[in-house]
């Protein structure tokens, strides 16, 4: 699998339900970032979690990081139709270039 | 404080023409990154620049592609002699320093006819 690979690839839920997306990576990281992308639009930064952090919250978003398992999860609670989008995790692998390595994304659909 | 700005938002070129994509980072940001996104895929890193310097261009094709970030003005991604396979969305991001979040622009959608 690729660095920063999301699971599931697609998720469909009802409004009000929680949505959980997972991300796995292979190499050591400085930090991991989650982004949202609406269809045909740019990326919106959601949360950055550093390698020495285990959990972070922002509004209805909760991100966890398990460096021993090289995985992260994004939980969206009480989902809304407006949360419909693609969600990407991206890892900063402490490389000289500071590039972010993105996974293929999870396409979330929240039905009203 | 305006976010990252990219222009044009849409660009149509015929095979063999040149494409110039511009990116103005957020105010105060001196680190600029270019990524390419093919349909239904995640973003792929192309190049990382700081003012007047290319730091990492490991993701950029060796031929036809070049990038610059001059002392004054926006960063430019230049694609010479475009081919149909260059059709994609090109995103620019900027950060305050290399440990901070990268903020993305709205992208330029390049279509090569």
């Amino acid at each position: 699998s690729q660095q920063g690979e999301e699971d599931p690839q697609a998720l469909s839920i009802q409004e009000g339900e929680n949505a959980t997306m997972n991300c796995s990576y292979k190499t050591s990281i400085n930090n991991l970032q989650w982004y949202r992308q609406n269809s045909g639009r740019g990326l919106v930064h959601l949360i950055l979690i550093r390698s020495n952090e285990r959990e972070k919250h922002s509004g209805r978003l909760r991100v966890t990081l398990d460096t021993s398992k090289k995985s992260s999860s994004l939980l969206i609670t009480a989902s809304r139709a407006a949360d419909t989008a693609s969600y990407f995790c991206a890892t900063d692998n402490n490389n000289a270039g500071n590039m972010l390595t993105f996974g293929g994304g999870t396409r979330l659909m929240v039905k009203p | 404080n305006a976010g990252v700005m990219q222009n044009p938002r849409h660009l149509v070129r015929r095979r063999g023409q040149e494409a110039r994509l511009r990116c103005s980072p957020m105010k105060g940001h001196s680190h600029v990154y270019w990524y390419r996104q093919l349909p239904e895929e995640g973003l792929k890193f192309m190049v990382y620049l700081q003012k007047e310097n290319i730091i990492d261009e490991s993701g950029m094709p060796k031929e036809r592609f070049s990038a610059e970030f001059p002392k004054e003005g926006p960063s430019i991604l230049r694609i010479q002699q475009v081919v149909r396979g260059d059709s994609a969305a090109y995103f620019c991001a900027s950060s305050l320093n290399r440990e901070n979040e990268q903020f993305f622009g709205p992208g330029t959608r390049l279509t090569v006819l």
Side-chain angles (χ1 to χ4, degrees), chain A:
Chain A
S1 62
Q2 296 179 359
Q3 182 85 348
E5 187 155 309
E6 289 88 346
D7 163 55
Q9 289 187 324
L11 180 61
S12 181
I13 59 175
Q14 292 294 138
E15 207 166 26
E17 294 180 337
N18 295 343
T20 300
M21 289 160 270
N22 302 297
C23 168
S24 60
Y25 58 92
K26 287 188 171 180
T27 63
S28 62
I29 61 171
N30 269 340
N31 62 62
L32 184 146
Q33 305 181 41
W34 284 92
Y35 290 84
R36 183 185 73 218
Q37 184 179 36
N38 290 83
S39 181
R41 301 285 188 90
L43 278 77
V44 174
H45 187 269
L46 298 176
I47 286 186
L48 179 151
I49 186 164
R50 301 192 188 279
S51 59
N52 60 353
E53 296 175 311
R54 292 296 165 258
E55 189 170 311
K56 229 171 175 181
H57 297 254
S58 176
R60 294 183 297 111
L61 305 180
R62 173 177 165 250
V63 167
T64 62
L65 178 65
D66 186 336
T67 52
S68 66
K69 295 181 180 177
K70 291 187 168 60
S71 67
S72 172
S73 68
L74 170 67
L75 168 68
I76 304 174
T77 59
S79 64
R80 305 166 183 168
D83 295 329
T84 295
S86 291
Y87 291 82
F88 295 92
C89 71
T91 53
D92 176 350
N93 307 328
N94 193 28
N95 49 73
N98 198 35
M99 69 183 84
L100 291 178
T101 303
F102 283 80
T106 292
R107 284 149 195 78
L108 173 67
M109 175 172 286
V110 181
K111 300 174 186 175

Side-chain angles (χ1 to χ4, degrees), chain A residues 35 37 40 95 97-98 107, chain B residues 33 37 40 48 98 102 109:
Chain A
Y35 290 84
Q37 184 179 36
N95 49 73
N98 198 35
R107 284 149 195 78
Chain B
Y33 315 81
Q37 184 180 34
E40 306 298 319
Y48 165 38
R98 64 181 308 278
Q102 293 183 21
R109 278 151 188 81

Side-chain angles (χ1 to χ4, degrees), chain B:
Chain B
N1 184 15
V4 178
M5 299 176 70
Q6 289 186 250
N7 68 81
R9 296 289 305 276
H10 300 273
L11 182 61
V12 179
R13 285 287 177 266
R14 296 193 180 280
R15 280 180 298 169
Q17 291 184 320
E18 178 180 287
R20 278 187 181 238
L21 289 63
R22 295 174 195 79
C23 168
S24 297
M26 285 181 71
K27 188 176 180 181
H29 287 192
S30 60
H31 299 247
V32 166
Y33 315 81
W34 285 93
Y35 294 83
R36 178 165 62 179
Q37 184 180 34
L38 296 172
E40 306 298 319
E41 292 187 11
L43 279 71
K44 297 288 192 293
F45 168 79
M46 298 181 75
V47 61
Y48 165 38
L49 309 103
Q50 283 184 269
K51 279 291 184 180
E52 300 184 273
N53 292 306
I54 296 175
I55 308 300
D56 184 342
E57 55 183 347
S58 59
M60 202 147 71
K62 295 288 184 285
E63 297 178 352
R64 303 188 297 107
F65 285 72
S66 62
E68 61 177 13
F69 189 15
K71 189 176 179 181
E72 301 291 337
S75 174
I76 306 285
L77 179 67
R78 182 181 176 207
I79 311 172
Q80 294 178 292
Q81 299 175 323
V82 295
V83 300
R84 288 217 174 104
D86 297 333
S87 295
Y90 291 83
F91 289 95
C92 166
S94 74
S95 67
L96 188 60
N97 56 51
R98 64 181 308 278
E99 288 81 28
N100 281 48
E101 298 91 329
Q102 293 183 21
F103 293 91
F104 282 77
T108 294
R109 278 151 188 81
L110 172 66
T111 301
V112 179
L113 302 177

